[in-house]
Amino acid sequence: MATIFFKPKPVTSTRPDVYEKLLAGVATILLVIVVVALAKGRADWARVPRGIWLHLATVTVALVLTPYILLRPRGTPVHRLLGKIWVAAMVATAAISLFVRYSNPGHFSFIHILSVFVLVMAPRVWLTARRHNIAGHRMAVRGLVTGALIVAGYFTLIETRLLGHWLFG
């Protein structure tokens, strides 16, 4: 979102910086927490609706890929392929989440704002990469990882949400 209002600074290096290393670490920790919550909630798996499983599957793909994409060399064919898969997983996660309304039955909740954010920003990630706008691409990726994975991931750990209930309940 920031790239809409501010012109990105020129990029002098494509190596991961401190913030990207931090994002990769937090994404890894969040992935471990999700796996632990899933393991602890095993007894309830049969009662979980398919839409939530699909949502969990797509976000897990994004969480698995995030550290690798952020920490490995950029611009390589592998980076580009995994980046396309990551963007597709993020779009799928956001689109699916629009149909997941169990915590606020029949209505959208605050967290759905992040879904709209992803649906707007994910194409920007792809377009900036395609145009070789490294600074814009970097800002868009950071925004999505920060907002859509880390912040949204934090909200899923609240005890009234499924993963939070399994983790802390």
Side-chain angles (χ1 to χ4, degrees):
M1 196 79 170
T3 57
I4 294 172
F5 302 108
F6 302 103
K7 186 174 180 161
K9 296 177 187 174
V11 176
T12 56
S13 171
T14 59
R15 290 184 179 169
D17 62 12
V18 173
Y19 187 63
E20 290 161 349
K21 290 176 183 176
L22 177 68
L23 288 176
V26 173
T28 302
I29 292 167
L30 187 57
L31 177 62
V32 170
I33 290 170
V34 167
V35 169
V36 169
L38 287 170
K40 289 179 81 173
R42 193 168 185 336
D44 296 332
W45 284 7
R47 291 185 293 249
V48 176
R50 285 189 195 119
I52 291 179
W53 280 119
L54 194 54
H55 180 70
L56 280 168
T58 56
V59 78
T60 300
V61 169
L63 278 173
V64 167
L65 292 177
T66 296
Y68 187 86
I69 291 171
L70 288 176
L71 298 176
R72 301 292 302 158
R74 290 140 188 218
T76 66
V78 170
H79 178 84
R80 290 175 181 165
L81 173 64
L82 293 179
K84 289 174 187 173
I85 294 168
W86 185 85
V87 168
M90 292 297 290
V91 168
T93 300
I96 292 163
S97 75
L98 294 174
F99 299 98
V100 175
R101 299 185 198 160
Y102 299 101
S103 62
N104 193 12
H107 302 286
F108 291 113
S109 64
F110 173 75
I111 205 163
H112 286 101
I113 293 170
L114 292 173
S115 300
V116 174
F117 171 71
V118 171
L119 294 173
V120 169
M121 290 302 290
R124 187 169 179 83
V125 168
W126 184 79
L127 286 171
T128 54
R130 185 144 172 89
R131 293 178 181 154
H132 302 284
N133 176 353
I134 297 168
H137 178 69
R138 194 174 222 171
M139 286 185 81
V141 169
R142 286 173 168 199
L144 272 180
V145 172
T146 302
L149 283 180
I150 307 304
V151 172
Y154 167 77
F155 283 114
T156 66
L157 301 178
I158 296 170
E159 198 169 332
T160 58
R161 311 275 304 196
L162 182 65
L163 290 179
H165 174 71
W166 283 349
L167 194 61
F168 304 114

